[in-house]
Amino acid sequence: MAMEWVSAWAGATVWTTLGAAPVWAVLTGLELAFPRGRRSPPLTYLRGMIYWLPVAAVIAGIGLIWEEVLKATAWTPLLQVPLAGWFAAHPRWTWLGYVISPLVGLLIFDFSFYWMHRFQHRFLWRFHAVHHAIEDLSGINSYPHWIEGILKFIFMTLPWSLLYKVDQVAMPATVSFLIILHGHFIHSNTRLHLGLLRVFFADNRFHRIHHSVQAEHFDKNFGSATTFWDRLFGTAYFPARDEWPATGVAGSREAETIADAMFRPFGPSTAPASTPSPPV
């Protein structure tokens, strides 16, 4: 039984990592063809892929366990929003479901992510600093600390599973791919951006500000998918056309080994005392 679970966990970890491979391939191609400033060193791409493995392992492991818990308890969310059912009952508006459904999903996701992200900055900075210490930021080299897999379960999976469920309209595989692509694109080192769409959708220029080493950019742009919650809660900062700051944590280095990326927060010091831990 235990070996079967370990085998399933290992398989899920591999597939979670390989599932991002097409996204990484597209973004790497864009970064090489349309770089913003200096191209990221090739070694950082390989290092980024390796450093994502512990994160994938945590997410896969929690996912397998929680799936079994839900099966055993047969839990039904307290609030269910039958979005797909409504559009199915109104055929003339079906096309609108393909627009509204992903937007609703993104807003719900980003609300949870926004407050998880602020929680990390306020209470778990020594862990989140592993992500912020990255200087050669790219679509691949954007790994978080593995504890973020646990936080996503607490802030996202739990409320979605227990409290509410939005019955989404079935999305084509292309839409799902674009959503995953966007999550990595916001870290990409390319001069391509979303243009006028960045009024609502976060892009690499918007999120670059969040990783900036410049003090005037601290506590800004916590959202991942949209700019909506940053606007609503007063943390939005829209960069000027030529604003592309350096990234990292002053006085701290990017993780040099996978062990460093995994265990640095448990050491005596994650970053110098002068590094601000942004308040909520």
Side-chain angles (χ1 to χ4, degrees), residues 83-132:
L83 203 59
W86 190 91
F87 284 110
H90 300 80
R92 64 179 296 186
W93 297 108
T94 299
W95 64 271
L96 192 58
Y98 292 106
V99 177
I100 292 179
S101 188
L103 287 180
V104 169
L106 282 177
L107 283 172
I108 293 174
F109 161 84
D110 215 37
F111 177 80
S112 300
F113 183 90
Y114 178 91
W115 287 108
M116 179 194 76
H117 201 171
R118 293 191 68 164
F119 182 88
Q120 287 175 290
H121 275 253
R122 180 65 180 88
F123 299 107
L124 295 172
W125 174 247
R126 63 189 296 112
F127 294 93
H128 192 52
V130 170
H131 177 61
H132 272 266

Side-chain angles (χ1 to χ4, degrees), residues 25 38 45 48 82 87-88 103 126 129 148 151 162 171-172 176 179 191 193 199 227-228 247 255-256 267 274 279:
R38 181 178 67 90
Y45 290 107
F87 284 110
L103 287 180
R126 63 189 296 112
E148 186 165 307
L151 292 175
L162 301 180
M171 288 291 106
S176 299
I179 290 174
R191 63 177 179 270
H193 54 84
V199 171
T227 64
F228 181 81
T247 63
E256 297 177 351
S274 60

Side-chain angles (χ1 to χ4, degrees), residues 2 14 45 48 68 73 76 79 106 148 178 208 222 235 249-250 269:
V14 171
Y45 290 107
E68 292 301 318
T73 59
T76 301
L79 174 64
L106 282 177
E148 186 165 307
L178 290 175
R208 183 88 177 186
F222 289 97
T235 54
V249 175
S269 176

Side-chain angles (χ1 to χ4, degrees), residues 163-240:
L163 300 180
Y164 56 84
K165 177 185 178 182
V166 178
D167 185 16
Q168 297 276 42
V169 175
M171 288 291 106
T174 304
V175 175
S176 299
F177 174 79
L178 290 175
I179 290 174
I180 297 172
L181 177 70
H182 179 264
H184 289 272
F185 170 70
I186 61 173
H187 294 102
S188 62
N189 182 32
T190 174
R191 63 177 179 270
L192 300 181
H193 54 84
L194 297 184
L196 294 177
L197 290 177
R198 71 191 185 97
V199 171
F200 181 79
F201 296 102
D203 67 0
N204 53 341
R205 289 172 59 189
F206 183 82
H207 194 67
R208 183 88 177 186
I209 294 300
H210 180 73
H211 282 263
S212 172
V213 296
Q214 298 173 207
E216 64 268 28
H217 296 152
F218 294 161
D219 308 347
K220 303 297 182 184
N221 300 1
F222 289 97
S224 171
T226 76
T227 64
F228 181 81
W229 302 112
D230 280 294
R231 287 174 177 273
L232 183 64
F233 296 115
T235 54
Y237 180 104
F238 289 91

Side-chain angles (χ1 to χ4, degrees), residues 131-145:
H131 177 61
H132 272 266
I134 300 173
E135 296 176 351
D136 287 303
L137 200 62
S138 67
I140 295 178
N141 200 40
S142 56
Y143 53 89
H145 188 265

Side-chain angles (χ1 to χ4, degrees), residues 12-76:
T13 299
V14 171
W15 280 112
T16 298
T17 306
L18 291 179
V23 167
W24 290 343
V26 169
L27 286 178
T28 300
L30 293 177
E31 290 173 352
L32 293 176
F34 309 100
R36 178 67 187 251
R38 181 178 67 90
R39 285 188 174 91
S40 298
L43 183 61
T44 64
Y45 290 107
L46 176 60
R47 184 171 62 194
M49 285 189 285
I50 294 172
Y51 289 7
W52 270 104
L53 284 173
V55 184
V58 170
I59 292 173
I62 292 176
L64 288 174
I65 294 171
W66 188 238
E67 183 179 358
E68 292 301 318
V69 170
L70 290 179
K71 285 181 181 178
T73 59
W75 180 266
T76 301

